[in-house]
Amino acid sequence: MNIIDSEIFFDSITGKLSGNKIIKSSKTIGDLKNIFKDEKERSAMNQKQFVYRVEFYPSEKSGTCGGLFFGTSYIEPGKVGDEYFMTKGHFHADRDTAEFYWCIKGKGVLLLMDEDCNCRAEYLKPGSLHYINKRMAHRVCNIGEETLVFSACWPSNAGHDYNSILEKGFSARVMCINDEPELIKKD
Ligand code: ZN
């Protein structure tokens, strides 16, 4: 009987995934319309500027019950006006699915919101582990000066509901006030 190598490798120092099957995607300033508070500022910025990218191991067909997915996200440092670069954020399409995030490198804030629009936030720092309960929307902001790297593991039937966030947004924003991150309730 043969003992074989895994088809995927995960570098625990950099977060990098490698292997033939890894799928990569990225978002630029131009892809993030109506996400930031200052849309006028965003539209005046270089639309090709990278904000974040994701590497993802498609271990199952999307939608498969009982499977897990694994990925690493990289968010660049930067701001749109006084608001930190961040991910679009999502609920899971299947609301009854949770997720783990853990921080590898950099400084960030995980913004969480329940279905009644109550927000709370947790700091991401190297080694911090975050359990995202089912039915919670989640978004990550880079509050540091280097690339923020975190990995995630989530059920393969979770799916992504971005539209609910595009329609209503999160009820709070992570803003840079006097050089410090603050969680500010939306007016
Ligand atoms: Zn998720």
Side-chain angles (χ1 to χ4, degrees):
M1 293 170 77
N2 291 330
I3 299 175
I4 61 167
D5 270 333
S6 170
E7 63 178 13
I8 179 168
F9 285 84
F10 169 67
D11 184 326
S12 60
I13 306 292
T14 64
K16 187 175 170 51
L17 295 178
S18 50
N20 291 332
K21 293 187 177 167
I22 304 304
I23 294 174
K24 296 179 181 180
S25 67
S26 60
K27 292 277 179 280
T28 62
I29 282 290
D31 295 323
L32 297 171
K33 208 173 170 186
N34 296 321
I35 297 286
F36 295 94
K37 185 179 181 186
D38 195 340
E39 174 58 19
K40 204 174 153 194
E41 173 71 20
R42 186 207 63 83
S43 62
M45 291 170 72
N46 174 4
Q47 300 298 291
K48 291 182 178 165
Q49 185 176 351
F50 277 109
V51 179
Y52 65 94
R53 60 190 175 87
V54 179
E55 294 167 348
F56 149 68
Y57 175 48
S59 37
E60 301 276 0
K61 198 167 166 237
S62 189
T64 302
C65 276
L68 292 170
F69 283 148
F70 189 96
T72 296
S73 298
Y74 306 79
I75 310 179
E76 296 309 315
K79 293 188 206 82
V80 176
D82 293 328
E83 191 169 19
Y84 298 101
F85 278 6
M86 61 186 178
T87 60
K88 283 162 79 172
H90 59 267
F91 280 102
H92 288 161
D94 181 339
R95 292 288 195 273
D96 286 327
T97 52
E99 182 163 5
F100 272 117
Y101 276 3
W102 62 99
C103 182
I104 291 167
K105 196 164 167 276
K107 281 165 68 177
V109 170
L110 168 63
L111 183 59
L112 298 156
M113 181 176 76
D114 68 20
E115 291 175 297
D116 295 323
C117 298
N118 300 303
C119 276
R120 63 186 177 82
E122 297 174 356
Y123 282 113
L124 276 104
K125 47 185 84 172
S128 65
L129 178 67
H130 307 267
Y131 180 63
I132 300 165
N133 299 79
K134 63 182 183 176
R135 302 193 169 274
M136 294 293 276
H138 35 292
R139 156 180 287 169
V140 174
C141 315
N142 184 352
I143 60 166
E145 282 163 15
E146 61 175 333
T147 306
L148 173 67
V149 186
F150 65 97
S151 285
C153 186
W154 67 102
S156 48
N157 61 315
H160 293 92
D161 170 10
Y162 295 107
N163 282 341
S164 298
I165 302 301
L166 281 175
E167 281 163 21
K168 288 166 70 182
F170 280 72
S171 60
R173 293 182 177 279
V174 181
M175 308 293 290
C176 180
I177 313 283
N178 299 325
D179 286 333
E180 292 292 330
E182 281 193 29
L183 186 60
I184 309 283
K185 262 194 177 172
K186 236 160 81 173
D187 326 311

